[in-house]
Amino acid sequence: MSKTVLITGASSGLGRQTAKFFHAKGWNVVATMRGPDRETELNQLDRTIVTRLDVQDPASIDSAVEAALDRFGALDVLINNAGYGAYGPLEATPIDSIRRQFEVNVLGLLATTRAVLPTFRTNRRGTIVNISSVGGRLAFPLGSLYHGTKFAVEGISEALQYELSAIGARVKVVEPGGMRTEFAGRSFELNNDATMSEYQPLAQSLFDLLGPMLEQGSTPEAIAEIVYAAAIDSSDRLCFEAGPDAVSMLAQRRATDDDAFYAGMKQQFGLA
């Protein structure tokens, strides 16, 4: 029998390509998104259902999990992909934006994970794949919110692996670097205030770095292959670095002591 995967944030980018990749591998796919009525491609695939799931709406999470079980009888993998990045000076960021960043990237991930655990526990199997980021292991300026959420995903996953082993399930973390997706347009929020002139050179330095990083990053198709590899991995391996830039950056971070790394970052962004 085919296995079944539920993917959040499947309307575009990595989520969409991951849905297509799993389908090509013969899986049943539950592609979830906030606006399924606008989907015109994934809903044409066999063994695939497209349904609404907004990670900020617990009822929609429960409905999506129920739809998966009703249609396919079981759920084998959850891929927590939905998320976005909020950047900018903390001083310029409205409290509502702060709340939303953590509600989507952290609380939404926890709520969706919690919703699938009863069936994983009953069946004594299942895998959670949390899409983190290289930004869950190191931080750039003006990213206190985004990096705060991705660092949280890393900690949640590290702790969760122990309790999931008690029910026969696993958790994996995928850490992409730059990706050539619509992230900058669809999933990127900038909070800035030009009157706070002190922050503006730093903001420009950040964009000068992030622009090429995204343009030269991995394709979502390439990262989807790593997501799939994580989902089917039966070892105790937790983290999967995704993309040559992620591998390079994280290797450099591990090889550098904190003081030297922070000093280098400050110099790179004109703060030294």
Side-chain angles (χ1 to χ4, degrees):
M1 293 180 61
S2 295
K3 291 186 176 182
T4 300
V5 59
L6 187 152
I7 306 166
T8 68
S11 63
S12 64
L14 178 59
R16 173 177 291 275
Q17 294 305 323
T18 298
K20 293 166 71 173
F21 192 90
F22 272 80
H23 179 267
K25 290 292 186 179
W27 286 55
N28 304 318
V29 176
V30 184
T32 75
M33 56 196 70
R34 288 181 295 170
D37 54 310
R38 297 190 294 272
E39 178 58 41
T40 60
E41 180 186 16
L42 297 178
N43 53 14
Q44 302 302 312
L45 301 176
D46 64 338
R47 294 178 282 103
T48 300
I49 59 175
V50 177
T51 189
R52 180 176 181 272
L53 190 156
D54 181 340
V55 296
Q56 293 182 273
D57 178 3
S60 75
I61 297 172
D62 292 340
S63 293
V65 173
E66 289 175 10
L69 296 176
D70 288 346
R71 173 69 180 276
F72 299 119
L75 183 59
D76 300 282
V77 172
L78 165 66
I79 298 175
N80 280 313
N81 169 73
Y84 77 103
Y87 275 81
L90 181 61
E91 184 181 355
T93 305
I95 191 66
D96 287 346
S97 294
I98 295 172
R99 287 196 181 99
R100 181 170 182 265
Q101 177 75 117
F102 280 84
E103 285 173 357
V104 172
N105 287 14
V106 180
L107 298 182
L109 177 146
L110 288 169
T112 309
T113 298
R114 187 172 180 270
V116 306
L117 291 182
T119 188
F120 283 10
R121 179 166 50 82
T122 297
N123 295 331
R124 299 288 301 176
R125 70 175 190 275
T127 300
I128 308 290
V129 180
N130 290 330
I131 306 301
S132 179
S133 166
V134 65
R137 304 281 292 279
L138 56 86
F140 293 150
L142 305 183
S144 57
L145 301 185
Y146 176 70
H147 293 293
T149 63
K150 291 304 184 180
F151 271 66
V153 169
E154 297 276 345
I156 289 165
S157 303
E158 183 174 332
L160 195 60
Q161 66 175 328
Y162 303 120
E163 65 189 81
L164 290 193
S165 67
I167 63 171
R170 296 183 174 90
V171 62
K172 308 291 180 178
V173 183
V174 175
E175 300 161 337
M179 265 193 295
R180 300 198 295 271
T181 70
E182 306 95 327
F183 182 85
R186 293 172 58 108
S187 302
F188 185 84
E189 175 186 314
L190 174 64
N191 296 285
N192 199 7
D193 185 337
T195 67
M196 299 179 184
S197 59
E198 296 87 346
Y199 299 120
Q200 302 317 304
L202 185 56
Q204 187 59 55
S205 296
L206 178 67
F207 292 130
D208 290 344
L209 172 73
L210 288 183
M213 182 178 172
L214 295 175
E215 291 173 4
Q216 299 167 17
S218 301
T219 64
E221 291 86 351
I223 303 302
E225 292 189 37
I226 298 173
V227 174
Y228 181 79
I232 65 172
D233 181 66
S234 60
S235 75
D236 291 332
R237 179 180 176 184
L238 178 63
C239 296
F240 289 73
E241 298 170 5
D245 58 342
V247 172
S248 176
M249 283 189 286
L250 293 177
Q252 181 183 4
R253 180 65 186 95
R254 286 190 295 271
T256 310
D257 66 74
D258 287 352
D259 289 345
F261 182 82
Y262 300 149
M265 289 288 282
K266 288 179 179 179
Q267 184 174 20
Q268 181 174 5
F269 288 98
L271 298 172

